[in-house]
Amino acid sequence: MNAFGVVMLMVFLVVVGGLGYFFYQNLPGEPVDLVVDEPSATLQDKVSYSTSSQFYKNMRFPDNTISYAIEEICGNKKREQFQEALRILKEETVLEFYEDSVEPEIIVTCSDLMPEPENKGYFIAGEGGPSEIINTSLYAVILQGKISLFREEKCEKPNIALHEMLHVLGFDHNDNPDSILFPTLDCEQQIDRYLIDDINNLYSVTGKPDLKISEIKATKSGAYLNFEIKVVNQGLKNAESVELAVYADGELVIHNSGKKFFDLGNIAVGSTKILNVENLKIGRGAEEIGFTADPNNNVDELFENNNEVELVLGE
Ligand SMILES: [Zn+2]
């Protein structure tokens, strides 16, 4: 073989080797399941100030500032009584209230009829209660409450309005005859200390979203990753423009399109977004795949330490 032949053979070998490497890197192989690296890393978030006196665990409005509207039919007297009840609650607790006729969180009616349950998993406790709630794993978020003040107030203090407002805040009756939450009203009844403490504890946390990767299934085929991920918002407020990043051995995976993140859009309180991705190229050698919801911390959350899951190749 002359020198030209040797050069050609080397070129040939380089080309074949390069092609082989290219195919090795890019062709799908046998799918391998990925498994959660440390199951304990799936954090158990705790909100420890739950009380047994509420209809559901950790019931609260998204914020400590709550809007309300009083229907005109109520007239001035009942209007003043209700506002006096709000004033007392504001004085005793961290809660604040403001009137908002457009999108009130609490609606006060005064018709003779009991409030009608509507169709969103509503329930009614007596003449006042949360009327629209969303259960996340951390909170029962009250989106709306209704009160019907159809009885005349017989006490000096607005005891009926206070009693119903406490129902709206998620509190059930108790068996203390001296309590404002005793089923039968009496003018001497007072707001129990535990109610004030519970309200202040519940609302000591600022209302924020909380994103969490609730489920992940992934397989690796050669250089490619297929996955289905579920991201839940278990917080108190909606999360906007949520992104998801995928990492292979610690390096951010750039999509074939050049994008860096998957766009999960807005995730409302209590909602879960499911993202299905096929054939994301991560490289054949990748052994650890990480998923991070909100990688740039655009969303201010209750907990920032439950947004990541790390997977490794299964057996
Ligand atoms: Zn009641």
Side-chain angles (χ1 to χ4, degrees):
M1 201 183 288
N2 60 21
F4 178 73
V6 170
V7 170
M8 284 311 289
L9 180 63
M10 283 177 69
V11 168
F12 176 75
L13 287 175
V14 167
V15 169
V16 167
L19 278 175
Y21 184 73
F22 177 81
F23 281 117
Y24 171 75
Q25 282 299 324
N26 289 280
L27 287 183
E30 280 297 296
V32 182
D33 284 339
L34 291 151
V35 293
V36 174
D37 194 4
E38 293 166 67
S40 62
T42 315
L43 289 162
Q44 291 300 310
D45 312 302
K46 278 218 180 75
V47 180
S48 56
Y49 30 78
S50 106
T51 64
S52 56
S53 59
Q54 289 193 297
F55 300 117
Y56 292 104
K57 218 174 140 191
N58 293 335
M59 271 193 120
R60 61 165 273 185
F61 282 88
D63 279 309
N64 73 321
T65 307
I66 303 167
S67 61
Y68 68 92
I70 305 170
E71 289 189 348
E72 244 168 81
I73 191 176
C74 293
N76 276 341
K77 206 170 146 205
K78 281 180 179 168
R79 181 183 175 81
E80 277 161 26
Q81 280 161 356
F82 180 73
Q83 284 179 325
E84 174 62 10
L86 296 186
R87 196 196 59 76
I88 292 168
L89 283 173
K90 178 177 149 63
E91 203 172 87
E92 299 276 354
T93 70
V94 296
L95 295 179
E96 309 219 16
F97 304 93
Y98 67 99
E99 205 160 358
D100 177 1
S101 55
V102 184
E103 265 184 294
E105 291 171 289
I106 298 170
I107 297 168
V108 183
T109 73
C110 297
S111 62
D112 305 337
L113 297 167
M114 292 285 280
E116 284 287 326
E118 291 165 35
N119 0 332
K120 295 187 204 167
Y122 279 44
F123 72 99
I124 293 290
E127 300 141 25
S131 54
E132 190 179 345
I133 58 170
I134 292 181
N135 259 305
T136 79
S137 52
L138 296 180
Y139 290 98
V141 185
I142 308 169
L143 297 182
Q144 196 167 76
K146 281 185 181 169
I147 290 182
S148 184
L149 299 175
F150 56 82
R151 278 185 286 164
E152 282 303 321
E153 181 65 69
K154 292 187 175 65
C155 309
E156 209 175 300
K157 273 199 309 165
N159 277 12
I160 295 176
L162 270 174
H163 178 101
E164 302 309 341
M165 261 307 291
L166 286 162
H167 280 327
V168 164
L169 291 167
F171 294 93
D172 202 353
H173 289 145
N174 65 25
D175 55 9
N176 170 15
D178 298 328
S179 166
I180 195 89
L181 271 178
F182 193 66
T184 320
L185 291 181
D186 178 291
C187 292
E188 299 307 309
Q189 288 163 341
Q190 302 288 332
I191 303 176
D192 315 61
R193 189 69 233 175
Y194 83 89
L195 290 167
I196 293 165
D197 292 343
D198 284 355
I199 289 170
N200 288 343
N201 281 332
L202 274 168
Y203 289 88
S204 65
V205 176
T206 308
K208 293 178 183 178
D210 191 51
L211 300 167
K212 177 178 175 168
I213 295 174
S214 57
E215 211 179 306
I216 172 81
K217 274 182 258 169
T219 55
K220 184 175 174 260
S221 289
Y224 296 91
L225 180 71
N226 298 328
F227 66 89
E228 183 184 277
I229 193 164
K230 293 184 185 174
V231 178
V232 64
N233 178 1
Q234 58 177 4
L236 290 158
K237 294 217 176 148
N238 299 338
E240 281 168 24
S241 307
V242 179
E243 295 175 318
L244 178 86
V246 179
Y247 300 88
D249 291 334
E251 294 280 331
L252 179 67
V253 175
I254 310 291
H255 311 176
N256 299 342
S257 64
K259 279 177 70 176
K260 291 179 174 171
F261 307 111
F262 292 99
D263 182 9
L264 300 181
N266 300 342
I267 308 182
V269 172
S271 299
T272 300
K273 274 277 165 83
I274 304 173
L275 176 71
N276 244 300
V277 172
E278 290 186 352
N279 297 323
L280 179 68
K281 196 178 169 192
I282 53 168
R284 184 170 281 264
E287 290 186 340
E288 282 179 20
I289 311 298
F291 298 85
T292 303
D294 189 35
N296 293 317
N297 268 325
N298 295 330
V299 183
D300 188 15
E301 300 180 51
L302 294 176
F303 299 97
E304 297 286 359
N305 59 357
N306 55 1
N307 291 20
E308 289 175 29
V309 173
E310 187 88 8
L311 303 182
V312 292
L313 291 174
E315 295 305 302

